[in-house]
PDB file of all heavy atoms in Angstrom:
ATOM      1  N   ASN A  26     134.129 213.019 -92.966  1.00 43.00           N
ATOM      2  CA  ASN A  26     133.643 214.365 -92.704  1.00 43.00           C
ATOM      3  C   ASN A  26     132.387 214.653 -93.501  1.00 43.00           C
ATOM      4  O   ASN A  26     131.979 213.881 -94.358  1.00 43.00           O
ATOM      5  CB  ASN A  26     134.727 215.411 -93.000  1.00 43.00           C
ATOM      6  CG  ASN A  26     135.208 215.341 -94.443  1.00 43.00           C
ATOM      7  OD1 ASN A  26     134.415 215.537 -95.353  1.00 43.00           O
ATOM      8  ND2 ASN A  26     136.495 215.060 -94.634  1.00 43.00           N
ATOM      9  N   ALA A  35     133.254 219.705 -90.781  1.00 59.00           N
ATOM     10  CA  ALA A  35     133.350 219.229 -89.397  1.00 59.00           C
ATOM     11  C   ALA A  35     134.041 217.881 -89.411  1.00 59.00           C
ATOM     12  O   ALA A  35     133.651 216.979 -90.159  1.00 59.00           O
ATOM     13  CB  ALA A  35     131.963 219.119 -88.779  1.00 59.00           C
ATOM     14  N   GLY A  38     133.942 212.932 -85.108  1.00 62.00           N
ATOM     15  CA  GLY A  38     133.962 213.107 -83.663  1.00 62.00           C
ATOM     16  C   GLY A  38     133.320 214.402 -83.211  1.00 62.00           C
ATOM     17  O   GLY A  38     133.004 214.564 -82.033  1.00 62.00           O
ATOM     18  N   SER A  95      81.707 216.597 -79.010  1.00 89.00           N
ATOM     19  CA  SER A  95      82.049 215.184 -78.836  1.00 89.00           C
ATOM     20  C   SER A  95      81.571 214.331 -80.006  1.00 89.00           C
ATOM     21  O   SER A  95      81.547 213.107 -79.909  1.00 89.00           O
ATOM     22  CB  SER A  95      81.460 214.655 -77.523  1.00 89.00           C
ATOM     23  OG  SER A  95      82.016 215.324 -76.409  1.00 89.00           O
ATOM     24  N   PRO A 114      73.426 217.971 -95.950  1.00 98.00           N
ATOM     25  CA  PRO A 114      74.421 219.036 -96.112  1.00 98.00           C
ATOM     26  C   PRO A 114      75.637 218.476 -96.842  1.00 98.00           C
ATOM     27  O   PRO A 114      75.831 217.256 -96.894  1.00 98.00           O
ATOM     28  CB  PRO A 114      74.750 219.441 -94.673  1.00 98.00           C
ATOM     29  CG  PRO A 114      74.402 218.236 -93.851  1.00 98.00           C
ATOM     30  CD  PRO A 114      73.248 217.567 -94.549  1.00 98.00           C
ATOM     31  N   GLY A 118      81.293 218.949 -89.754  1.00 98.00           N
ATOM     32  CA  GLY A 118      82.483 219.410 -89.060  1.00 98.00           C
ATOM     33  C   GLY A 118      82.416 219.125 -87.579  1.00 98.00           C
ATOM     34  O   GLY A 118      81.345 218.878 -87.013  1.00 98.00           O
ATOM     35  N   TYR A 123      91.744 217.652 -76.659  1.00 95.00           N
ATOM     36  CA  TYR A 123      92.862 216.898 -76.094  1.00 95.00           C
ATOM     37  C   TYR A 123      92.341 215.988 -74.986  1.00 95.00           C
ATOM     38  O   TYR A 123      92.456 216.283 -73.806  1.00 95.00           O
ATOM     39  CB  TYR A 123      93.906 217.876 -75.565  1.00 95.00           C
ATOM     40  CG  TYR A 123      95.210 217.238 -75.116  1.00 95.00           C
ATOM     41  CD1 TYR A 123      95.830 216.252 -75.869  1.00 95.00           C
ATOM     42  CD2 TYR A 123      95.817 217.652 -73.937  1.00 95.00           C
ATOM     43  CE1 TYR A 123      97.019 215.691 -75.468  1.00 95.00           C
ATOM     44  CE2 TYR A 123      97.017 217.102 -73.515  1.00 95.00           C
ATOM     45  CZ  TYR A 123      97.618 216.105 -74.288  1.00 95.00           C
ATOM     46  OH  TYR A 123      98.806 215.551 -73.877  1.00 95.00           O
ATOM     47  N   ASN A 129      85.289 209.187 -78.774  1.00 95.00           N
ATOM     48  CA  ASN A 129      85.646 207.911 -79.381  1.00 95.00           C
ATOM     49  C   ASN A 129      86.200 208.203 -80.775  1.00 95.00           C
ATOM     50  O   ASN A 129      85.474 208.169 -81.769  1.00 95.00           O
ATOM     51  CB  ASN A 129      84.421 207.002 -79.443  1.00 95.00           C
ATOM     52  CG  ASN A 129      84.738 205.630 -80.013  1.00 95.00           C
ATOM     53  OD1 ASN A 129      85.817 205.397 -80.554  1.00 95.00           O
ATOM     54  ND2 ASN A 129      83.795 204.716 -79.890  1.00 95.00           N
ATOM     55  N   TYR A 130      87.497 208.486 -80.832  1.00 96.00           N
ATOM     56  CA  TYR A 130      88.074 208.916 -82.101  1.00 96.00           C
ATOM     57  C   TYR A 130      88.024 207.837 -83.189  1.00 96.00           C
ATOM     58  O   TYR A 130      87.801 208.176 -84.363  1.00 96.00           O
ATOM     59  CB  TYR A 130      89.498 209.426 -81.888  1.00 96.00           C
ATOM     60  CG  TYR A 130      89.541 210.841 -81.350  1.00 96.00           C
ATOM     61  CD1 TYR A 130      90.014 211.119 -80.069  1.00 96.00           C
ATOM     62  CD2 TYR A 130      89.106 211.913 -82.127  1.00 96.00           C
ATOM     63  CE1 TYR A 130      90.058 212.418 -79.584  1.00 96.00           C
ATOM     64  CE2 TYR A 130      89.142 213.217 -81.650  1.00 96.00           C
ATOM     65  CZ  TYR A 130      89.617 213.462 -80.382  1.00 96.00           C
ATOM     66  OH  TYR A 130      89.643 214.749 -79.895  1.00 96.00           O
ATOM     67  N   ASN A 135      85.560 206.380 -88.578  1.00 98.00           N
ATOM     68  CA  ASN A 135      84.603 205.591 -89.362  1.00 98.00           C
ATOM     69  C   ASN A 135      83.462 206.464 -89.892  1.00 98.00           C
ATOM     70  O   ASN A 135      83.029 206.320 -91.040  1.00 98.00           O
ATOM     71  CB  ASN A 135      84.041 204.451 -88.519  1.00 98.00           C
ATOM     72  CG  ASN A 135      85.066 203.376 -88.226  1.00 98.00           C
ATOM     73  OD1 ASN A 135      86.034 203.215 -88.980  1.00 98.00           O
ATOM     74  ND2 ASN A 135      84.880 202.645 -87.139  1.00 98.00           N
ATOM     75  N   TRP A 140      81.005 209.215 -94.473  1.00 98.00           N
ATOM     76  CA  TRP A 140      80.482 210.468 -95.023  1.00 98.00           C
ATOM     77  C   TRP A 140      81.181 210.797 -96.347  1.00 98.00           C
ATOM     78  O   TRP A 140      80.537 211.140 -97.330  1.00 98.00           O
ATOM     79  CB  TRP A 140      80.684 211.588 -94.006  1.00 98.00           C
ATOM     80  CG  TRP A 140      80.150 212.915 -94.444  1.00 98.00           C
ATOM     81  CD1 TRP A 140      80.862 213.954 -94.967  1.00 98.00           C
ATOM     82  CD2 TRP A 140      78.785 213.342 -94.412  1.00 98.00           C
ATOM     83  NE1 TRP A 140      80.033 215.009 -95.253  1.00 98.00           N
ATOM     84  CE2 TRP A 140      78.740 214.657 -94.918  1.00 98.00           C
ATOM     85  CE3 TRP A 140      77.609 212.744 -93.985  1.00 98.00           C
ATOM     86  CZ2 TRP A 140      77.564 215.389 -95.027  1.00 98.00           C
ATOM     87  CZ3 TRP A 140      76.423 213.471 -94.089  1.00 98.00           C
ATOM     88  CH2 TRP A 140      76.411 214.771 -94.602  1.00 98.00           C
ATOM     89  N   ALA A 162      90.713 225.658 -73.702  1.00 97.00           N
ATOM     90  CA  ALA A 162      91.126 226.649 -74.702  1.00 97.00           C
ATOM     91  C   ALA A 162      90.773 228.062 -74.277  1.00 97.00           C
ATOM     92  O   ALA A 162      91.380 229.024 -74.754  1.00 97.00           O
ATOM     93  CB  ALA A 162      90.477 226.319 -76.045  1.00 97.00           C
ATOM     94  N   ILE A 170     102.597 232.878 -76.177  1.00 97.00           N
ATOM     95  CA  ILE A 170     102.661 231.856 -77.214  1.00 97.00           C
ATOM     96  C   ILE A 170     104.005 231.830 -77.938  1.00 97.00           C
ATOM     97  O   ILE A 170     104.326 230.829 -78.587  1.00 97.00           O
ATOM     98  CB  ILE A 170     101.501 231.997 -78.216  1.00 97.00           C
ATOM     99  CG1 ILE A 170     101.541 233.332 -78.947  1.00 97.00           C
ATOM    100  CG2 ILE A 170     100.172 231.833 -77.529  1.00 97.00           C
ATOM    101  CD1 ILE A 170     100.468 233.440 -80.022  1.00 97.00           C
ATOM    102  N   LYS A 172     106.684 231.302 -76.635  1.00 98.00           N
ATOM    103  CA  LYS A 172     107.455 230.232 -75.998  1.00 98.00           C
ATOM    104  C   LYS A 172     107.208 228.878 -76.652  1.00 98.00           C
ATOM    105  O   LYS A 172     108.041 227.965 -76.552  1.00 98.00           O
ATOM    106  CB  LYS A 172     107.115 230.156 -74.508  1.00 98.00           C
ATOM    107  CG  LYS A 172     107.539 231.369 -73.705  1.00 98.00           C
ATOM    108  CD  LYS A 172     107.217 231.203 -72.227  1.00 98.00           C
ATOM    109  CE  LYS A 172     107.718 232.392 -71.415  1.00 98.00           C
ATOM    110  NZ  LYS A 172     107.413 232.249 -69.959  1.00 98.00           N
ATOM    111  N   VAL A 194      95.246 211.554 -84.549  1.00 97.00           N
ATOM    112  CA  VAL A 194      93.881 211.484 -85.076  1.00 97.00           C
ATOM    113  C   VAL A 194      93.885 211.754 -86.575  1.00 97.00           C
ATOM    114  O   VAL A 194      93.254 211.032 -87.359  1.00 97.00           O
ATOM    115  CB  VAL A 194      92.967 212.489 -84.350  1.00 97.00           C
ATOM    116  CG1 VAL A 194      91.555 212.473 -84.949  1.00 97.00           C
ATOM    117  CG2 VAL A 194      92.906 212.191 -82.854  1.00 97.00           C
ATOM    118  N   GLN A 199      93.985 209.948 -92.342  1.00 98.00           N
ATOM    119  CA  GLN A 199      94.745 209.740 -93.570  1.00 98.00           C
ATOM    120  C   GLN A 199      94.804 208.262 -93.938  1.00 98.00           C
ATOM    121  O   GLN A 199      94.646 207.899 -95.116  1.00 98.00           O
ATOM    122  CB  GLN A 199      96.157 210.310 -93.405  1.00 98.00           C
ATOM    123  CG  GLN A 199      97.031 210.179 -94.635  1.00 98.00           C
ATOM    124  CD  GLN A 199      98.270 211.049 -94.567  1.00 98.00           C
ATOM    125  OE1 GLN A 199      98.352 212.092 -95.201  1.00 98.00           O
ATOM    126  NE2 GLN A 199      99.249 210.629 -93.788  1.00 98.00           N
ATOM    127  N   ALA A 200      95.020 207.404 -92.950  1.00 98.00           N
ATOM    128  CA  ALA A 200      95.076 205.972 -93.214  1.00 98.00           C
ATOM    129  C   ALA A 200      93.746 205.452 -93.745  1.00 98.00           C
ATOM    130  O   ALA A 200      93.708 204.479 -94.512  1.00 98.00           O
ATOM    131  CB  ALA A 200      95.471 205.223 -91.942  1.00 98.00           C
ATOM    132  N   GLY A 215      90.022 237.011 -82.070  1.00 98.00           N
ATOM    133  CA  GLY A 215      89.149 237.217 -80.926  1.00 98.00           C
ATOM    134  C   GLY A 215      89.939 237.214 -79.627  1.00 98.00           C
ATOM    135  O   GLY A 215      91.118 236.844 -79.595  1.00 98.00           O
ATOM    136  N   GLN A 229     103.268 238.523 -84.919  1.00 98.00           N
ATOM    137  CA  GLN A 229     104.276 237.537 -85.299  1.00 98.00           C
ATOM    138  C   GLN A 229     104.292 236.287 -84.417  1.00 98.00           C
ATOM    139  O   GLN A 229     104.479 235.184 -84.951  1.00 98.00           O
ATOM    140  CB  GLN A 229     105.662 238.178 -85.319  1.00 98.00           C
ATOM    141  CG  GLN A 229     106.676 237.380 -86.142  1.00 98.00           C
ATOM    142  CD  GLN A 229     106.281 237.232 -87.593  1.00 98.00           C
ATOM    143  OE1 GLN A 229     105.879 238.204 -88.239  1.00 98.00           O
ATOM    144  NE2 GLN A 229     106.353 236.011 -88.116  1.00 98.00           N
ATOM    145  N   ASN A 258      87.677 235.408 -86.856  1.00 98.00           N
ATOM    146  CA  ASN A 258      86.346 235.846 -86.450  1.00 98.00           C
ATOM    147  C   ASN A 258      86.010 237.160 -87.141  1.00 98.00           C
ATOM    148  O   ASN A 258      86.892 237.984 -87.408  1.00 98.00           O
ATOM    149  CB  ASN A 258      86.282 236.062 -84.935  1.00 98.00           C
ATOM    150  CG  ASN A 258      84.866 236.039 -84.409  1.00 98.00           C
ATOM    151  OD1 ASN A 258      84.273 234.987 -84.248  1.00 98.00           O
ATOM    152  ND2 ASN A 258      84.308 237.205 -84.121  1.00 98.00           N
ATOM    153  N   PRO A 265      91.343 242.822 -83.512  1.00 98.00           N
ATOM    154  CA  PRO A 265      92.025 243.174 -84.766  1.00 98.00           C
ATOM    155  C   PRO A 265      91.224 242.788 -86.014  1.00 98.00           C
ATOM    156  O   PRO A 265      90.234 242.047 -85.953  1.00 98.00           O
ATOM    157  CB  PRO A 265      93.332 242.374 -84.694  1.00 98.00           C
ATOM    158  CG  PRO A 265      93.501 242.018 -83.264  1.00 98.00           C
ATOM    159  CD  PRO A 265      92.114 241.859 -82.724  1.00 98.00           C
ATOM    160  N   GLN A 297      85.552 241.466 -98.488  1.00 98.00           N
ATOM    161  CA  GLN A 297      86.465 241.830 -99.571  1.00 98.00           C
ATOM    162  C   GLN A 297      87.917 241.650 -99.147  1.00 98.00           C
ATOM    163  O   GLN A 297      88.763 241.226 -99.947  1.00 98.00           O
ATOM    164  CB  GLN A 297      86.219 243.275-100.010  1.00 98.00           C
ATOM    165  CG  GLN A 297      86.918 243.635-101.320  1.00 98.00           C
ATOM    166  CD  GLN A 297      86.450 242.807-102.487  1.00 98.00           C
ATOM    167  OE1 GLN A 297      85.248 242.710-102.748  1.00 98.00           O
ATOM    168  NE2 GLN A 297      87.391 242.176-103.187  1.00 98.00           N
ATOM    169  N   ALA A 341      79.235 227.261 -96.249  1.00 98.00           N
ATOM    170  CA  ALA A 341      78.801 227.970 -95.043  1.00 98.00           C
ATOM    171  C   ALA A 341      78.339 226.917 -94.052  1.00 98.00           C
ATOM    172  O   ALA A 341      77.430 226.133 -94.346  1.00 98.00           O
ATOM    173  CB  ALA A 341      77.677 228.945 -95.365  1.00 98.00           C
ATOM    174  N   HIS A 350      70.920 228.003 -76.415  1.00 97.00           N
ATOM    175  CA  HIS A 350      71.361 228.626 -77.657  1.00 97.00           C
ATOM    176  C   HIS A 350      71.068 227.662 -78.811  1.00 97.00           C
ATOM    177  O   HIS A 350      71.654 226.579 -78.888  1.00 97.00           O
ATOM    178  CB  HIS A 350      72.858 228.952 -77.624  1.00 97.00           C
ATOM    179  CG  HIS A 350      73.229 229.979 -76.602  1.00 97.00           C
ATOM    180  ND1 HIS A 350      73.377 229.680 -75.256  1.00 97.00           N
ATOM    181  CD2 HIS A 350      73.471 231.322 -76.724  1.00 97.00           C
ATOM    182  CE1 HIS A 350      73.704 230.783 -74.604  1.00 97.00           C
ATOM    183  NE2 HIS A 350      73.752 231.782 -75.462  1.00 97.00           N
ATOM    184  N   LEU A 364      67.853 224.260 -97.549  1.00 98.00           N
ATOM    185  CA  LEU A 364      68.496 223.042 -98.051  1.00 98.00           C
ATOM    186  C   LEU A 364      67.974 222.657 -99.432  1.00 98.00           C
ATOM    187  O   LEU A 364      68.663 221.962-100.187  1.00 98.00           O
ATOM    188  CB  LEU A 364      68.283 221.896 -97.070  1.00 98.00           C
ATOM    189  CG  LEU A 364      69.330 221.686 -95.957  1.00 98.00           C
ATOM    190  CD1 LEU A 364      70.652 221.209 -96.524  1.00 98.00           C
ATOM    191  CD2 LEU A 364      69.517 222.916 -95.090  1.00 98.00           C
TER     192      LEU A 364
END
Side-chain angles (χ1 to χ4, degrees):
N26 58 61
S95 297
Y123 188 44
N129 182 349
Y130 280 113
N135 290 335
W140 182 260
I170 62 175
K172 294 182 177 180
V194 177
Q199 181 165 256
Q229 199 60 46
N258 200 78
Q297 192 62 52
H350 295 80
L364 270 291

